[in-house]
Amino acid sequence: MRFRPYDLHLRHVFTISGDSRAVSPVVLVEVGFEGLVGYGEAALPPYLGESLQSVLRFLKQLDLSRFHNPLLIHDILEYVDRLAPGNFAAKASIDIALHDLAGKLMQQPCHRIWGLNPERTPHSSFTIGIDSPAVVARKSREAASSSILKVKLGRGTDKEIINAIRTVTAKPLYVDVNQGWTDKHEALDMIHWLKDQGVVLVEQPMPAGAVEEMAWLTQHSPLPTVADEAVQVVADVKKMAGVYSGINIKLMKCGGMRAALKMAAIARGLDLEVMLGCMVETSCAVSAAAQLSPLAKWCDLDGNLLITNDVFDGMKIVDGKVTLSERPGIGAVPLF
Ligand code: MG
């Protein structure tokens, strides 16, 4: 196993409710076996609490040489998981590399091994960060190749932003409030207004801890509500039933592809819809997430499109739709 830090450069300074940045660090991981290499990645958004230092510290502790069959992913990830609590992005990097390696050993893409239909991938949204209405409108125009835009709201300029976007495009919109609304009645009024503007879902409208308010809002909302900050790992999914309409699953939140598959299965069993999201990350982690996309109703896999120095060739969005290739494993090829 090898790993190294890598700095992703953002096309635009990216602002969501509570945070702004121009560079985003990741750690790239390689796990080798008999001449084949599986690639993985840990992305490190500040709000998840993992740092470059914590990921490197975690990975340095790992001794994968104690295992002699990389296909025994369950056993290996059990060992990885028990090394320390938390560290989900670090764990995801190993999980992704192992799934990539397993796919290469079996000469099949992960979605095929899981029996998923590559025709059933959803369209992916493209995220526009919080900015002045004029800049948001310009970025919306630049996102011409995307069929759905995801708009960050929650800073008191929501209507101005939506109105500015509507001067340049009539595309369907997802909105992500990142916990920015605090009053459920105002939130409901806003959702009714947003629905009239062609918005199709509302992600994390209220704080993650506002469970009763969210249950009320979801019950009354004319648009589906999606939990993001409120749902991180497998054990959180059952708490979302009756509180949100769906959950946003991200590999870096939950610890990787294996946990994400479990979350999707539990969610569907609880009548929760599945959204698949990502962080600012290369085509490595984005391609890994895309392997699960036939299970998702909504996809927001644009992390690789937000950077200028991707180091993988992987999943492509064609006419707005996520496309899965026949490449083995996660379907990403390193450019280094
Ligand atoms: Mg979100």
Side-chain angles (χ1 to χ4, degrees):
M1 180 183 111
R2 301 197 301 177
F3 52 92
R4 65 180 170 103
Y6 183 68
D7 267 345
L8 304 182
H9 297 278
L10 302 182
R11 268 179 217 288
H12 299 284
V13 173
F14 191 73
T15 304
I16 62 167
S17 187
D19 167 47
S20 264
R21 62 207 153 108
V23 171
S24 201
V26 297
V27 177
L28 302 175
V29 173
E30 299 177 23
V31 176
F33 182 77
E34 293 184 347
L36 293 171
V37 178
Y39 294 91
E41 175 179 10
L44 301 163
Y47 70 87
L48 279 185
E50 282 175 79
S51 64
L52 201 52
Q53 291 69 30
S54 71
V55 170
L56 296 176
R57 198 183 317 122
F58 184 87
L59 295 177
K60 275 181 198 145
Q61 293 177 64
L62 284 177
D63 175 20
L64 296 185
S65 69
R66 60 167 67 200
F67 297 97
H68 301 288
N69 182 352
L71 295 178
L72 299 180
I73 292 178
H74 178 88
D75 291 3
I76 302 170
L77 291 181
E78 206 170 55
Y79 154 75
V80 171
D81 199 43
R82 283 178 182 168
L83 264 190
N87 292 283
F88 293 104
K91 289 170 181 174
S93 70
I94 302 297
D95 167 285
I96 294 167
L98 285 172
H99 280 88
D100 192 35
L101 183 57
K104 285 168 174 165
L105 285 162
M106 296 186 211
Q107 299 183 302
Q108 294 290 341
C110 294
H111 69 265
R112 169 121 330 113
I113 295 168
W114 295 331
L116 301 180
N117 182 352
E119 302 299 313
R120 290 180 57 174
T121 55
H123 280 233
S124 177
S125 55
F126 178 81
T127 301
I128 312 281
I130 287 189
D131 218 313
S132 66
V135 174
V136 168
R138 177 170 58 76
K139 288 182 186 171
S140 303
R141 205 181 297 119
E142 285 171 10
S145 59
S146 305
S147 56
I148 305 163
L149 300 179
K150 179 162 138 178
V151 186
K152 298 285 192 177
L153 298 183
R155 287 195 173 180
T157 53
D158 298 349
K159 288 190 177 178
E160 291 88 330
I161 287 174
I162 298 296
N163 286 334
I165 291 171
R166 282 296 175 241
T167 63
V168 297
T169 178
K171 284 173 188 173
L173 304 177
Y174 299 164
V175 303
D176 187 353
V177 188
N178 289 112
Q179 318 185 73
W181 297 340
T182 49
D183 181 280
K184 67 181 181 185
H185 296 285
E186 288 178 20
L188 184 60
D189 287 347
M190 184 61 85
I191 293 173
H192 277 286
W193 184 83
L194 290 169
K195 181 169 189 280
D196 291 340
Q197 314 309 313
V199 170
V200 294
L201 69 82
V202 181
E203 189 173 321
Q204 201 64 56
M206 300 189 71
V211 177
E212 285 182 17
E213 292 90 335
M214 264 317 306
W216 180 89
L217 187 60
T218 296
Q219 195 189 339
H220 292 87
S221 173
L223 294 178
T225 61
V226 179
D228 185 5
E229 286 86 341
V231 60
Q232 184 174 354
V233 296
V234 174
D236 296 330
V237 181
K238 62 178 184 293
K239 295 180 260 178
M240 301 299 114
V243 182
Y244 294 86
S245 318
I247 62 168
N248 189 341
I249 299 173
K250 298 177 180 172
L251 302 187
M252 298 303 147
K253 287 197 298 188
C254 68
M257 301 166 80
R258 188 180 158 77
L261 262 184
K262 275 191 207 171
M263 290 177 79
I266 294 169
R268 296 306 300 129
L270 293 168
D271 280 332
L272 288 162
E273 298 289 355
V274 171
M275 181 173 194
L276 205 51
C278 65
M279 306 298 179
V280 173
E281 55 199 25
T282 73
S283 289
C284 176
V286 166
S287 301
Q291 295 294 322
L292 292 123
S293 64
L295 294 170
K297 179 170 184 176
W298 306 298
C299 245
D300 181 33
L301 295 179
D302 63 351
N304 56 335
L305 304 176
L306 304 175
I307 60 174
T308 57
N309 58 338
D310 200 350
V311 275
F312 286 87
D313 178 66
M315 187 277 282
K316 298 283 186 293
I317 292 169
V318 178
D319 296 330
K321 191 178 191 297
V322 173
T323 58
L324 293 171
S325 71
E326 288 299 313
R327 285 176 180 167
I330 61 172
V333 175
L335 302 172
F336 49 86

